[in-house]
Amino acid sequence: MALAVLHRESDADVSRPRDGFVKAYRGMLLARLLDEKFATLYRAGKIQGGVFLGRGQEALSVSAGLALRPGDVFAPLIRDAAGRLAFGESVLDAARTFLGSALGPMRGRDGNIHRGRPREGLLPMISHLGAMISVVNGALLAHRFRKLPATVGLACLGEGATSTGAFHEAMNQAGVEKLPLVVIVANNQYAYSTPTVRQFACRSLLDRAAGYGFAGHAVEANDLAACLQVVGQAVATARGGGGPQFVLANLLRLCGHGEHDDAHYIDPGLKSSPLGRDCLKLAEEHLLRQQWAAAAELETWRGETVKLIEEVIAQVQREPAPDPYHEDWSALSSRNLLEGQA
Amino acid sequence: MALAVLHRESDADVSRPRDGFVKAYRGMLLARLLDEKFATLYRAGKIQGGVFLGRGQEALSVSAGLALRPGDVFAPLIRDAAGRLAFGESVLDAARTFLGSALGPMRGRDGNIHRGRPREGLLPMISHLGAMISVVNGALLAHRFRKLPATVGLACLGEGATSTGAFHEAMNQAGVEKLPLVVIVANNQYAYSTPTVRQFACRSLLDRAAGYGFAGHAVEANDLAACLQVVGQAVATARGGGGPQFVLANLLRLCGHGEHDDAHYIDPGLKSSPLGRDCLKLAEEHLLRQQWAAAAELETWRGETVKLIEEVIAQVQREPAPDPYHEDWSALSSRNLLEGQA
Amino acid sequence: MSITYLEAIREAQAKALADDPRVFIYGQDVGAFGGAFKATKNLAKEFPGRVLDSPISEDAMVGAAVGAAIAGMRPIIEMQFADFSTVGFNQIVNQAATLFWRTQVACPIVVRLPFGGTSGAGPFHSQSIEAIYAHYPGLVVMTPATVEDAYGMLLEAVALDDPVIFCEHKYLYYHLKAEQLPTEAMPTGKARIARAGRDLTIVAYSAMVHEALAVAEELATEKVEIEVVDLRSVKPLDTDTVMASVARTGRLLCVGESWPWGGVTAEVLARVASEGFGLLDAPPMRLNAKDTPVPYHPNLWAAHRPTARSIAAAARKLLRM
Amino acid sequence: MSITYLEAIREAQAKALADDPRVFIYGQDVGAFGGAFKATKNLAKEFPGRVLDSPISEDAMVGAAVGAAIAGMRPIIEMQFADFSTVGFNQIVNQAATLFWRTQVACPIVVRLPFGGTSGAGPFHSQSIEAIYAHYPGLVVMTPATVEDAYGMLLEAVALDDPVIFCEHKYLYYHLKAEQLPTEAMPTGKARIARAGRDLTIVAYSAMVHEALAVAEELATEKVEIEVVDLRSVKPLDTDTVMASVARTGRLLCVGESWPWGGVTAEVLARVASEGFGLLDAPPMRLNAKDTPVPYHPNLWAAHRPTARSIAAAARKLLRM
Ligand SMILES: Cc1ncc(C[n+]2csc(CCOP(=O)(O)OP(=O)(O)O)c2C)c(N)n1
Ligand SMILES: Cc1ncc(C[n+]2csc(CCOP(=O)(O)OP(=O)(O)O)c2C)c(N)n1
Ligand SMILES: [Mg+2]
Ligand SMILES: [Mg+2]
């Protein structure tokens, strides 16, 4: 588990507020720095395809990943580097996918934020927004059929994705089946350039929860402690048989839609509002204020994290790219059914 | 307008409760008897394709049709014979479509409940549930672009259709655009054989309205006066600029899903509950109780209606069927772009 | 005892449920009601908890099937009509069909599509849309033409590790009967010589196989021997068997109930023309439905799709070339 | 002044908006932002209220377009990527495409699909799915290959009374430039001889036209004269022009960037084989992308789709036959 590397203090006990918070903070930090590394590599022309950052959403995302356990099912979206790492994805998987290493989990067939390991409960997103939720539902149904002990499924998405038919059908399906599903909607105020007023007409997306038979929770998502509490509680409730849970997170995207986008359209008023405060900074302030860590310690953690990332990137940059002549070009697992067409 | 034929009392003023109620009742009666005629013809093997009845839903449906005006847009579904007639569809159109006359509005290309006259605001349903609502939205957008005076769009559907992604996207779209749309969901407790507990998980579908920025209204829909009031008010509000309106109608399907279905799966408890009372009977009782009509008058109306239907059916049965050799087999209006493939 | 095509589909599902605890069925009205066509009749009773009624949510139905497959199950999805699969299209072609390629994790789901035309069913309950699925990589598209294949291929579909689009023809549901169910099946991906002949090859699939066989019968009285190839699955498409037949007859007529542009008949002709050009003694021909939505009225419907009559006319024309 | 393929699309929309008050644009981020590719840059400012940002609701976007068309408008829908049109698929193929046939009321909508592969874009931002639309009756499917056609055909698309699927190639957006916009356009449905030749016909469309032209250029140095036919629209497909070219050259190679099963190349080969069999001096050939999802990694992507290199190899092989 990626975070384990960073959070190895011998006496750590994440059920203690300080330890849990520190672990989450270090997860956020890892995600932030990893994201920034990819952004740098992108600007240097070393990454193919889009780079989408979770800047400003790490507190929420890490809380999701931390609340899950092995055996659970997680469907992250484009801003969930933190959640992925916390759920157990390795920095190596991330780096290999972004840098197009043939050794990555997608072996160059798919890239970047599309990575996943379905066998380990980490679903590889398709781009079509909303489409992953019903897949999580299906996995949970399977767990029910197979009588697996209380697993949880968790799907993340942005507020824009709530406008898709796929979202609706899957939410309703989870409600009807009373699945242990947690859906987290990060309302970061924009879907690409589109503000929420062009996306939905309710006062709050929380108004949707009851219509699907979900319990609803809201959280101001640049507050790590609040995220840990609210998301943790939602996951625990789902796990305990409390039925599907909907978490509406209020925050602001602190970056472009992707690294190609300067986000000039973001309302400056939002940026300077409380919503615009950076969750990572706030978490650092909290650590210092609570005296859970000293400034020097923060520096050390940052240094360790940078080093870890640099090592992984250096390793991956030496790895081979996929070779089309070794690619088997097979979209079917049943090799005998392949056609030899040109 | 089909109903005008029946409701020709010289001093009728539908703004007076009695006259409005009588007009609506006669519309229900026409729809019921027409439906029954089609059911009879179906059993006699004279109708191709499915026959779906509005039995038990006439009070709701007629209220929808009556609330609309020329220039409005109406998207009826399979149980809306009453609404169609009230909106102005002729019995002839209905009969021609069910009996496969070449002279019908669909000329044999489509049939039965798929008929419509888009130019006159009566949209011809495609079968895919939920798909008509966004079409109504688009027409209303066009009216806005064209600065047409306050028109309204009204779409009917069953509770099962609320599970479609198309429903969700269109509801949300109407909310965002603040369209003068009225959506009426007839919760008749079953979608084909599927009870509501397998269809949604909210206490009431009314819980969905706020999430779309719709005003919500509920109505016990075997009560004609209530339907006229609630639907009429919803349409008037939309027309007056009050934004999209959602009407949830509570009732019971008093027939099979289609005439091929014996509906054995319907809970007898529901049938004998207040929900199971027939709106037509209740309306008759109301007419008698209020002394708005005498029993003999009811008989006369019924007789007139039967006669009207019989005449139309007799006429249509003499009409030619479509002839494939006169069919131009053109799916494009741009004839020059047709391909001569086999 | 005699068994219909529809009953064969029910029996295959019963056997799959009985043999493999990973199998479950999910679709609208498939539970206590037994499905709009009764293809799951009594299965909910015989296999409690394993035949689930779904909401009217085709996208979520397929999405859930993929998730369940990832987590070790083998779901069978029933679309109420093939035509409605267009609202589950994205999950089929972009979620299910890409999973194995992207992750090397297989996606063993079966999507049953009651498809094809019947009289009076109209534009939205008649479509033959096998081609839109066959176009996408990562899917197997089966089109059984016989009671035996309906049974055997559905069992194979459930056993396969890849997503299968199972096109079952509604016209054949009641019209086709067999004496008993087969105990063995031809392998998936192999076409069948439904009737041997040496003058002309008619390649067909699903309901059109029977029209082709009727034509072969009719023309036999004129001393013309038509070979009928039943494709069985349109993806993979058994080019070898088709080519071997054309090698024998020198003449190819391919018949499909679907629309002309880019359908099975286009694919068959393209393959034979490019890979078997030298085998052809005459231009390959094809016959499809007309390029309009499927008409509702029986008169129009009968003229819209190929029938024994129009196939015979095409065959005669081709024999004269 | 020089203008790109992408700018031509913007200019065509600007002209359509200026010339016809019935035109409006609806799609994600098309308003103030000017679209993900900037195809609607400044249009919201220049035409206030007529360029509307939509929610992420492809089904409702297309449905609304149909409704607006019925009520007298001429909407242009921008899909952010062609790949996402699969979630608006049903409204396109069952609502828009059937309206005229069913009711005789036309459905003048344009659905713009930024399509085709670019390096690193991966399985869900690269697809060429013209064939799934061309398969359905009732749609016109345009695939402009030049800046001039991007402009002229988009204007024609808006003017047409039928629903048009306008496939604009993302690779050409910035790579292709012209000196000026055309004042006249070839009619829709007519293919163009992009380069004349007498030894071999390469039929292509969209980005593949340029690969074919590069091959023609290359082989010209070997004294081989290749004729390149640019289909311009794949439905209708201009069989006459293709056939006339094959009549001149006797050899046909058809190239498409899409998947092999049932794509444009299958349709072209089927038509030429059945209607122009006698014109062929050698078996017709086709070249498509491989039958897998479009790979993300540039190394794999370059091997997945046809390129000048693989087309040249195919052409050489065909010339030796
Ligand atoms: C069905 C679909 N339509 C369009 C897109 C293109 N698209 C990718 S991300 C995006 C915006 C997403 O906004 P939101 O859901 O709010 O997530 P955020 O990026 O803000 O985290 C869009 C429109 C898509 N991926 N899927
Ligand atoms: C997308 C889609 N899936 C499935 C169907 C098949 N179907 C037709 S009617 C029906 C039940 C509809 O139930 P409801 O919406 O409650 O309307 P009701 O028949 O009760 O009036 C179903 C499943 C369909 N028409 N469209
Ligand atoms: Mg957002
Ligand atoms: Mg119902």
mmCIF file of all heavy atoms in Angstrom, chain B residues 158-160 186 188 190-191, ligand 4:
data_model
loop_
_atom_site.group_PDB
_atom_site.id
_atom_site.type_symbol
_atom_site.label_atom_id
_atom_site.label_comp_id
_atom_site.label_asym_id
_atom_site.label_seq_id
_atom_site.Cartn_x
_atom_site.Cartn_y
_atom_site.Cartn_z
ATOM 1 N N GLY B 158 -45.155 6.770 -17.187
ATOM 2 C CA GLY B 158 -45.450 5.920 -16.038
ATOM 3 C C GLY B 158 -44.308 5.953 -15.047
ATOM 4 O O GLY B 158 -43.218 6.451 -15.346
ATOM 5 N N GLU B 159 -44.556 5.402 -13.867
ATOM 6 C CA GLU B 159 -43.510 5.443 -12.842
ATOM 7 C C GLU B 159 -42.299 4.637 -13.277
ATOM 8 O O GLU B 159 -41.173 4.958 -12.910
ATOM 9 C CB GLU B 159 -44.066 4.970 -11.493
ATOM 10 C CG GLU B 159 -44.048 3.469 -11.222
ATOM 11 C CD GLU B 159 -45.016 2.680 -12.102
ATOM 12 O OE1 GLU B 159 -45.871 3.289 -12.778
ATOM 13 O OE2 GLU B 159 -44.913 1.431 -12.114
ATOM 14 N N GLY B 160 -42.504 3.602 -14.065
ATOM 15 C CA GLY B 160 -41.356 2.802 -14.499
ATOM 16 C C GLY B 160 -40.399 3.600 -15.362
ATOM 17 O O GLY B 160 -39.174 3.431 -15.288
ATOM 18 N N ALA B 186 -47.659 9.011 -13.997
ATOM 19 C CA ALA B 186 -48.775 8.203 -13.514
ATOM 20 C C ALA B 186 -48.182 6.983 -12.818
ATOM 21 O O ALA B 186 -47.729 6.046 -13.471
ATOM 22 C CB ALA B 186 -49.660 7.772 -14.684
ATOM 23 N N ASN B 188 -48.932 3.997 -11.579
ATOM 24 C CA ASN B 188 -50.035 3.026 -11.563
ATOM 25 C C ASN B 188 -49.585 1.720 -10.916
ATOM 26 O O ASN B 188 -50.178 0.676 -11.130
ATOM 27 C CB ASN B 188 -50.591 2.827 -12.977
ATOM 28 C CG ASN B 188 -49.550 2.265 -13.923
ATOM 29 O OD1 ASN B 188 -48.448 1.906 -13.496
ATOM 30 N ND2 ASN B 188 -49.888 2.181 -15.196
ATOM 31 N N TYR B 190 -47.410 -0.456 -11.231
ATOM 32 C CA TYR B 190 -46.707 -1.512 -11.955
ATOM 33 C C TYR B 190 -46.087 -0.963 -13.236
ATOM 34 O O TYR B 190 -46.670 -0.094 -13.890
ATOM 35 C CB TYR B 190 -47.654 -2.674 -12.320
ATOM 36 C CG TYR B 190 -48.082 -3.447 -11.107
ATOM 37 C CD1 TYR B 190 -49.179 -3.045 -10.353
ATOM 38 C CD2 TYR B 190 -47.346 -4.555 -10.671
ATOM 39 C CE1 TYR B 190 -49.549 -3.724 -9.199
ATOM 40 C CE2 TYR B 190 -47.700 -5.241 -9.522
ATOM 41 C CZ TYR B 190 -48.801 -4.821 -8.798
ATOM 42 O OH TYR B 190 -49.161 -5.495 -7.653
ATOM 43 N N ALA B 191 -44.936 -1.485 -13.570
ATOM 44 C CA ALA B 191 -44.356 -1.283 -14.889
ATOM 45 C C ALA B 191 -44.347 -2.674 -15.504
ATOM 46 O O ALA B 191 -43.594 -3.542 -15.059
ATOM 47 C CB ALA B 191 -42.942 -0.729 -14.782
HETATM 48 MG MG MG E 4 -46.575 1.956 -14.331
#
